[in-house]
Amino acid sequence: MYEKLGIMTETEELINNTEKEIESIFKEVDKTAEYNSIKVLNAFQKYKLSDVHFTSTTGYGYDDIGRECVENIFADVLGAEDALVRTQIVSGTHALTVALFAFLRPGDIMLSIAGKPYDTLDTVIGIEDNQSSLKSYGINYEQIDLIDNGFDVKRVVDRVSKGDIKLVHIQRSRGYALRETISIQQLENIISEIRKVNNEVIIMIDNCYCEFVEKSTPLDVGADIIVGSLIKNLGGGIATNGGYIAGRKDLVEFAGERLTSPGQGKEVGPTNGANKMFLQGLYFAPSVVASSLKTAILASAVLEKLGYKVTPRYNAHRSDIVQTIEFGNSEDMINYCIGIQSGSAVNAHCTPVPSDMPGYADKIIMASGSFTQGSSIELSCDGPIRPPFVAFMQGGLTYEYGKIGVMKAINALKNK
Ligand SMILES: *Cc1c(COP(=O)(O)O)cnc(C)c1O
């Protein structure tokens, strides 16, 4: 069967042998998935999820009991007082934008304490000039970089103790930056330090790629609001679009008023048939996240054997689903991405080519053969073509397909 896929015996043996060596790590991943599945099932039962919740509203979307049930369930699973879970949120960037514009007012200061946020927020914040940025509304931005993959605790505490910061922004996953992901433990530590000197500041977390990777959520350890995309972890590969904003009730209300309009807020927003896909996606999500993690762990172990520098290592604690592989040269990086694409369900016959993208200085290569456009809970691999030639791989709806994708990629790497 592997031969049918063009996989060499050598690759097949390497991967199957490695898989045996990492069985105990997979078991840990499964335990977390089981824990999070219990959380999801409990929430479904607590809110008496029923067929009626799968119906749909159109137009204004008044009195959508399905939407209310979806949001109650997401809030419960995430440890939130309330949540906004909507198809009208078009992406993770949009969810973050809605939240930032909802909480910040002219003259306020936003402080990022995990270095520069995700690239697409440059124009939102006004780090890169834009006529509609937060900066254009007189909202200021400050940043404290990470040191040694951790928070610069002293600088953060000093800065927030002055009392003039409105919002602290913490991005957990790394984007295209070469740093480690921020764990729940690290979040718990920094939040408790911040709270010793400042009880007012809003602590907002970009939680993209981190949902269900650990047992706790940022809200469990004191964050005020968390934000993410449903074409990543929480959508379970079922949600075809959408995003969420969850946490303190008053903040979710602000976000609702920004997403729709002041006065209408969360009360409007038709679901157009999305309720079932959101709930079914959430139902699958713990298991899909586990499949993604196992795919990443397998790739990490195999690529390390082949001499590449990988982060995280196969046996390291993980807080997101992203695996980085440092190829050291563009040829290997491109071949690996071509291999991932060739193992996809959709567009496997296409060859990814590095190309220019708006907002990036270097050419970017993107391997993605996903059912949902741009979905990165489905196996995908991408990165800027610049030294040290690092690819960012994530996703895998099932471990079996993830493993086959990694096999195809390793095969392409060896077959160059
Ligand atoms: C993906 C991602 C975003 C943006 O999400 P989009 O849906 O691509 O707009 C923001 N922050 C982080 C950390 C991400 O991984």
Side-chain angles (χ1 to χ4, degrees):
M1 288 303 282
Y2 287 125
E3 245 169 63
K4 272 193 187 167
L5 277 171
I7 291 164
M8 301 181 292
T9 315
E10 186 196 348
T11 308
E12 179 197 331
E13 283 174 3
L14 171 68
I15 301 224
N16 282 329
N17 291 337
T18 309
E19 189 181 44
K20 283 198 193 91
E21 294 158 21
I22 54 182
E23 265 172 10
S24 65
I25 296 167
F26 282 9
K27 284 224 171 71
E28 286 304 309
V29 171
D30 287 335
K31 275 188 203 158
T32 305
E34 188 176 336
Y35 180 93
N36 285 320
S37 299
I38 294 170
K39 259 197 207 177
V40 170
L41 195 61
N42 266 332
F44 281 17
Q45 296 181 357
K46 176 174 169 185
Y47 287 99
K48 298 191 165 62
L49 179 62
S50 237
D51 302 323
V52 294
H53 298 122
F54 299 147
T55 56
S56 175
T57 52
T58 53
Y60 298 123
Y62 291 132
D63 304 318
D64 190 323
I65 57 168
R67 186 185 67 216
E68 281 163 24
C69 189
V70 166
E71 292 183 336
N72 284 333
I73 287 171
F74 270 73
D76 197 74
V77 168
L78 294 169
E81 289 173 5
D82 199 1
L84 197 57
V85 182
R86 301 289 167 116
T87 57
Q88 284 84 13
I89 298 177
V90 301
S91 64
T93 304
H94 185 211
L96 291 160
T97 301
V98 168
L100 291 170
F101 276 89
F103 310 146
L104 294 162
R105 295 288 180 273
D108 284 347
I109 306 171
M110 161 188 180
L111 172 69
S112 169
I113 64 167
K116 195 177 84 61
Y118 200 73
D119 293 50
T120 55
L121 291 190
D122 285 6
T123 41
V124 176
I125 295 168
I127 296 171
E128 188 165 331
D129 242 4
N130 186 284
Q131 61 184 10
S132 306
S133 67
L134 290 165
K135 191 177 170 188
S136 79
Y137 286 85
I139 295 159
N140 304 301
Y141 171 74
E142 291 181 27
Q143 177 179 315
I144 297 176
D145 290 336
L146 295 168
I147 46 168
D148 303 327
N149 282 312
F151 293 108
D152 191 338
V153 181
K154 193 181 169 313
R155 274 191 68 198
V156 170
V157 170
D158 277 356
R159 189 63 194 87
V160 296
S161 65
K162 293 198 179 80
D164 59 344
I165 302 290
K166 178 70 170 291
L167 179 143
V168 167
H169 178 85
I170 307 175
Q171 179 186 310
R172 299 185 60 200
S173 189
R174 65 203 101 176
Y176 278 159
L178 299 178
R179 63 148 166 105
E180 282 172 28
T181 305
I182 289 161
S183 67
I184 290 290
Q185 184 62 61
Q186 281 173 297
L187 271 186
E188 181 165 18
N189 296 345
I190 194 71
I191 292 171
S192 86
E193 291 301 322
I194 293 171
R195 285 301 177 226
K196 282 179 196 163
V197 296
N198 187 326
N199 272 320
E200 297 298 310
V201 68
I202 298 166
I203 302 178
M204 169 168 148
I205 313 292
D206 175 351
N207 206 30
C208 283
Y209 283 141
C210 297
E211 301 93 346
F212 288 154
V213 175
E214 295 176 281
K215 289 178 181 168
S216 307
T217 79
L219 299 170
D220 297 333
V221 297
D224 293 308
I225 198 92
I226 60 176
V227 181
S229 160
L230 295 182
I231 61 166
K232 292 181 177 174
N233 302 19
L234 278 192
I238 303 287
T240 52
N241 93 311
Y244 75 88
I245 300 170
R248 252 169 54 190
K249 196 173 181 58
D250 59 327
L251 295 177
V252 172
E253 190 179 334
F254 273 117
E257 296 204 309
R258 180 32 84 155
L259 179 67
T260 68
S261 46
Q264 294 191 318
K266 284 189 76 193
E267 302 301 310
V268 293
T271 47
N272 293 310
N275 292 334
K276 186 175 165 213
M277 93 179 173
F278 281 168
L279 292 162
Q280 211 166 7
L282 184 68
Y283 184 74
F284 280 114
S287 163
V288 170
V289 168
S291 297
S292 299
L293 285 168
K294 289 180 190 171
T295 303
I297 292 164
L298 177 70
S300 181
V302 176
L303 287 154
E304 184 174 282
K305 276 189 185 172
L306 294 175
Y308 299 100
K309 191 174 161 213
V310 290
T311 354
R313 290 193 61 213
Y314 69 97
N315 57 358
H317 177 82
R318 282 173 195 257
S319 300
D320 71 2
I321 61 168
V322 181
Q323 179 65 47
T324 67
I325 310 142
E326 189 177 315
F327 286 99
N329 67 78
S330 63
E331 192 194 354
D332 284 0
M333 178 176 173
I334 293 167
N335 281 332
Y336 189 86
C337 290
I338 289 174
I340 290 287
Q341 184 77 35
S342 73
S344 303
V346 184
N347 291 329
H349 54 283
C350 297
T351 304
V353 189
S355 55
D356 292 317
M357 298 256 301
Y360 295 92
D362 307 279
K363 287 191 189 307
I364 309 279
I365 187 163
M366 289 203 166
S368 168
S370 54
F371 289 96
T372 291
Q373 187 191 92
S375 164
S376 45
I377 189 62
E378 303 185 45
L379 185 61
S380 48
C381 189
D382 44 74
I385 306 288
R386 64 170 179 241
F389 303 101
V390 177
F392 297 74
M393 189 189 94
Q394 60 277 312
L397 292 183
T398 73
Y399 171 65
E400 289 76 13
Y401 292 123
K403 176 182 170 183
I404 295 165
V406 170
M407 272 194 171
K408 289 285 285 180
I410 302 282
N411 206 58
L413 200 56
K414 287 176 152 259
N415 227 353
K416 59 185 170 188

